[in-house]
Amino acid sequence: MSRLDAHRGAAVLIVGEVHTGLLRHSVPVSQAVSARILALRLGQEVRSSQRPVPSVVSPDLFDGIDCRLSATAGGRPRAVGTVATQASITAGQILQAASVATLIEGTAGRRMPWGHYLSRPGVIETVSPANLHHVASAWRTSETALPNLAAIADRLHVDIQESPLLDQAVAIWTPRTRVRWILEYSESRPEVELSVESGEYRTIRMSGAALSARAVNDFCAAVAMHDWLLTIVLDAIQRSRLELGVDSKCLARLRPTIDRFLHLWMPAARMDKTLRPYWQALDGAAGLTEQWQIQVSRIRDQLALHTVGLLEEASDRAQQTTDVA
């Protein structure tokens, strides 16, 4: 059990935020360089794996907070505790910063010494009377509801992009997407829903029981990364004007996306087995994998037609040369 999961079972609400973008480097970095970039805590090693896609994950960073929570009714309860944040680099080029906090109702009725909260990493306790269902409602409906995990994830994302190990040269423009998520503990049927709120902002709403904050955070990070992949492929197709046919300009616009991203669609590769039913339900409803496969097939079919056209032109030129001779 990780430190982040040390208090699972006591929570009624888990909230998180994931920011996903392209690493500011001209080419994918090596696993060793990724590990150096994400060595964010002295004495704590990064987690690294090579298959099926190279991935490096930083140690958890913890931010102490003492703030008022947003709520749709009943005032704004005060809460104190820590938020856990980690960064990851996938395939040497996709950077994610993910913040997560487990919200529980405090029982002391007063603010405790910091040592109490530091002994519960990644947990926020209410100090004043609170109805966490009202807090959950505010989190679901407002992208600026407190606690402000967006600011924490954004700060880490920006800090890593400024690493001296990166050359700041980006070969392809891609958007940075933001996924805000919530899991409400419920003994009834588990549910999950993904909503595309705007061009770069999404929300995930989940319910369930006996799920660890770490596993849910990793699940939402995986969904965020694959939503980002789908977003940039759709954007590349639109910018290339593929619908008009393939020419040299279209190829130049598509090539970076083909070379760097088309082989990375593996959403369930590292997903905790307890969360795989959630992915199956979400993918079945949103059709992410189906949309990805359609777009990839569209690119490959157009390139195949382009290749056939070039071969026919070459054959015609060869025939004309033979006729003249």
Side-chain angles (χ1 to χ4, degrees), residues 215-268:
V216 179
N217 185 59
D218 291 349
F219 169 81
C220 291
V223 174
M225 189 181 80
H226 288 82
D227 171 80
W228 181 84
L229 284 170
L230 182 56
T231 299
I232 62 173
V233 165
L234 290 170
D235 181 74
I237 290 174
Q238 184 177 20
R239 286 187 293 105
S240 70
R241 306 192 69 181
L242 185 65
E243 72 277 7
L244 301 180
V246 177
D247 57 17
S248 58
K249 291 183 180 178
C250 177
L251 276 177
R253 292 171 182 143
L254 280 176
R255 178 160 293 165
T257 301
I258 295 172
D259 290 343
R260 297 182 64 161
F261 305 121
L262 289 197
H263 60 292
L264 297 180
W265 189 268
M266 302 177 195

Side-chain angles (χ1 to χ4, degrees), residues 159-171:
D159 286 348
I160 291 173
Q161 292 285 33
E162 294 176 350
S163 167
L165 296 174
L166 302 176
D167 62 17
Q168 303 299 319
V170 179

Side-chain angles (χ1 to χ4, degrees), residues 25-299:
H25 201 68
S26 51
V27 297
V29 299
S30 68
Q31 198 82 332
V33 172
S34 295
R36 290 174 60 192
I37 293 172
L38 297 185
L40 304 177
R41 294 189 68 174
L42 187 64
Q44 291 197 14
E45 295 183 355
V46 301
R47 290 184 288 144
S48 178
S49 61
Q50 285 284 356
R51 293 181 175 79
V53 178
S55 175
V56 178
V57 182
S58 77
D60 287 327
L61 303 179
F62 294 97
D63 288 88
I65 65 169
D66 183 340
C67 68
R68 296 284 178 179
L69 302 178
S70 299
T72 52
R76 301 178 62 195
R78 182 185 177 189
V80 184
T82 58
V83 175
T85 303
Q86 64 177 206
S88 65
I89 297 176
T90 302
Q93 54 182 334
I94 302 174
L95 171 63
Q96 291 188 292
S99 295
V100 57
T102 298
L103 303 183
I104 64 175
E105 294 184 72
T107 58
R110 60 184 175 85
R111 191 191 190 285
M112 303 294 286
W114 265 114
H116 169 78
Y117 303 106
L118 293 177
S119 68
R120 302 181 173 191
V123 175
I124 300 173
E125 291 184 21
T126 57
V127 175
S128 53
N131 184 323
L132 291 188
H133 294 293
H134 293 162
V135 174
S137 180
W139 187 268
R140 288 196 306 268
T141 55
S142 172
E143 64 176 293
T144 58
L146 300 175
N148 192 352
L149 303 191
I152 297 174
D154 177 71
R155 183 185 63 200
L156 181 58
H157 202 280
V158 170
D159 286 348
I160 291 173
Q161 292 285 33
E162 294 176 350
S163 167
L165 296 174
L166 302 176
D167 62 17
Q168 303 299 319
V170 179
I172 176 175
W173 181 87
T174 60
R176 190 172 100 180
T177 57
R178 172 190 171 201
V179 174
R180 183 180 181 85
W181 62 266
I182 180 172
L183 180 137
E184 294 178 78
Y185 271 67
S186 170
E187 297 292 341
S188 60
R189 182 180 178 183
E191 294 182 340
V192 59
E193 177 185 350
L194 169 68
S195 298
V196 178
E197 308 290 351
S198 67
E200 299 175 2
Y201 174 54
R202 291 90 169 88
T203 56
I204 297 175
R205 300 179 180 89
M206 304 172 64
S207 63
L211 296 171
S212 76
R214 167 67 67 205
V216 179
N217 185 59
D218 291 349
F219 169 81
C220 291
V223 174
M225 189 181 80
H226 288 82
D227 171 80
W228 181 84
L229 284 170
L230 182 56
T231 299
I232 62 173
V233 165
L234 290 170
D235 181 74
I237 290 174
Q238 184 177 20
R239 286 187 293 105
S240 70
R241 306 192 69 181
L242 185 65
E243 72 277 7
L244 301 180
V246 177
D247 57 17
S248 58
K249 291 183 180 178
C250 177
L251 276 177
R253 292 171 182 143
L254 280 176
R255 178 160 293 165
T257 301
I258 295 172
D259 290 343
R260 297 182 64 161
F261 305 121
L262 289 197
H263 60 292
L264 297 180
W265 189 268
M266 302 177 195
R270 294 193 180 88
M271 202 170 285
D272 189 290
K273 63 180 182 181
T274 60
L275 272 299
R276 289 183 181 174
Y278 282 84
W279 167 252
Q280 293 165 357
L282 187 150
D283 197 31
L288 298 177
T289 299
E290 183 179 14
Q291 189 175 10
W292 172 267
Q293 291 172 342
I294 289 173
Q295 301 308 322
V296 171
S297 296
R298 183 183 177 193
I299 292 173

